[in-house]
Amino acid sequence: PSGGGTSITSNLPNGTFIHVINTITNNLILYLPPAGDFDSGYYLTTALYVSSALSGDSTNSVKLYADGSDSLDGDSGSTFLPLSRDSYTVVSNGTDNWMTIQRGKL
């Protein structure tokens, strides 16, 4: 991925739930897989947590990005700066964009 971070693999079944906990003392960057690797309508949900020992520290967030030339909600290079216990459900357009269809708390 560009800029370091961890990529979500492209071989996950539709509707996969990914639970991510940041336990490091830096921001954790999570990249969505290429939208074109999936059929239009494929979706996944990420639950993003910051360890309770690190919560409240702005250097310990979890950031969700589109990877490469993809966009997230139509914005190239967009990012979420979630609070702990936020979840995001995103759906692929089958080519180059992920769209957030739900944001909630777990």
Side-chain angles (χ1 to χ4, degrees), residues 2-85:
S2 56
T6 301
S7 293
I8 298 172
T9 182
S10 291
N11 61 354
L12 299 172
N14 192 25
T16 295
F17 181 85
I18 300 167
H19 183 197
V20 179
I21 301 174
N22 184 4
T23 60
I24 61 174
T25 57
N26 292 308
N27 292 324
L28 177 64
I29 299 171
L30 184 64
Y31 289 95
L32 293 166
D37 286 358
F38 304 99
D39 293 333
S40 179
Y42 170 92
Y43 72 96
L44 60 87
T45 301
T46 57
L48 308 171
Y49 289 82
V50 175
S51 168
S52 59
L54 302 174
S55 65
D57 184 342
S58 63
T59 63
N60 300 103
S61 68
V62 180
K63 298 180 180 185
L64 183 63
Y65 283 89
D67 195 24
S69 61
D70 281 0
S71 57
L72 182 56
D73 293 329
D75 183 17
S76 177
S78 69
T79 180
F80 291 116
L81 302 174
L83 300 172
S84 185
R85 298 180 54 107

